[in-house]
Amino acid sequence: MAALKALGQEREPVTAAIEVAGVEAVADPLGALYLPASRALVVADLHLEKSAAFARRGMLLPPYDTAATLTLLEAVIARYAPAVVISLGDSFHDALGAAAMSASERDRLDALAAGRDWLWIAGNHDPDAPSNLAGQAADALELCGLIFRHEPSADPAPGEIAGHLHPAARVMRRGRSVRRACFATDGIRLVMPAFGVLAGGLDLSHPAMRGLFDRKSLCAHVLGRERVYSVPHARLCA
């Protein structure tokens, strides 16, 4: 729920300018990526309706995650006014999520999509197109020399922007170790942090991350309360 604290920002957030396969991008502290050349905003792993999915399995969580995630999404869309929004899969926590949304939350999503292109990329949690929502669905998308998909490819993939793994990094902050979500990139490909407020994370040392990056070039762009901290892999805590 750390992302919720970002809503208390009083100063203009400090973003990080990064480059993926020669394309300029802006990493935002709320966990979204903005591509100025194409006016595209990218988010990953919203996991909307996660608490409802858990409730259907008898595990009760506070039922506010969808509303909170939409509030963050509204904030970052207001900040950049994108022409295109790309949601990189696992936008909903399960196949019933889109249909289970309340009418008011559907209205919020429709308002965000109004006047812009909205792309729903298929994820492992939500392989089918969301029902009765604005936007188009696709398995992957190519745009301005980049390719957007949910799961990172096992093979080398220059220009790939993916989600799925929810990368996180541990850094030293004021004498103590702090673990935060991050954008992970070696300049060739980038893996997005999870945007959903109930999403967890995998450390960059996790086996699932092996082989994805050139570790000498890997940088974790770590999400702080008001800024993104760019930390080379060699300076991360083990």
Side-chain angles (χ1 to χ4, degrees):
M1 303 291 278
L4 290 177
K5 298 179 182 178
L7 292 177
Q9 293 171 344
E10 297 179 357
R11 298 189 294 269
E12 187 70 18
V14 179
T15 59
I18 60 180
E19 192 172 288
V20 182
V23 178
E24 294 182 355
V26 176
D28 189 273
L30 289 183
L33 189 75
Y34 182 63
L35 307 172
S38 55
R39 292 186 58 208
L41 186 76
V42 189
V43 291
D45 298 277
L46 303 177
H47 284 273
L48 298 171
E49 294 295 290
K50 182 173 181 175
S51 62
F54 273 56
R56 286 192 288 272
R57 296 165 175 80
M59 301 171 63
L60 300 183
L61 295 174
Y64 310 118
D65 60 298
T66 295
T69 298
L70 290 178
T71 296
L72 295 177
L73 194 55
E74 288 165 343
V76 78
I77 287 176
R79 185 173 296 161
Y80 295 99
V84 181
V85 174
I86 303 168
S87 185
L88 285 183
D90 287 2
S91 302
F92 296 89
H93 192 70
D94 66 10
L96 300 178
M101 288 182 72
S102 69
S104 63
E105 288 163 346
R106 283 174 170 273
D107 289 344
R108 291 175 73 180
L109 264 178
D110 285 343
L112 289 175
R116 56 177 53 94
D117 293 327
W118 194 289
L119 282 302
W120 301 104
I121 302 298
N124 58 297
H125 281 260
D126 55 354
D128 300 318
S131 58
N132 302 319
L133 288 174
Q136 296 179 306
D139 291 332
L141 171 72
E142 292 188 30
L143 180 67
C144 295
L146 301 175
I147 183 163
F148 301 87
R149 57 169 58 96
H150 178 59
E151 295 192 36
S153 303
D155 299 323
E160 180 182 79
I161 309 290
H164 183 59
L165 295 179
H166 304 196
R170 192 174 296 277
V171 298
M172 291 300 296
R173 178 73 172 160
R174 296 175 181 172
R176 64 188 182 94
S177 174
V178 178
R179 186 175 183 271
R180 292 287 187 270
C182 69
F183 299 85
T185 183
D186 58 0
I188 304 300
R189 77 164 98 197
L190 181 144
V191 178
M192 296 278 298
F195 197 85
V197 299
L198 286 186
L202 289 180
D203 290 337
L204 291 179
S205 59
H206 191 277
M209 302 285 183
R210 289 177 186 163
L212 294 181
F213 305 105
D214 174 0
R215 294 282 163 157
K216 293 181 180 179
S217 302
L218 177 59
C219 186
H221 300 280
V222 181
L223 307 188
R225 178 183 171 88
E226 296 179 329
R227 65 171 295 175
V228 176
Y229 298 87
S230 299
V231 184
H233 182 259
R235 291 177 48 201
L236 296 175
C237 300

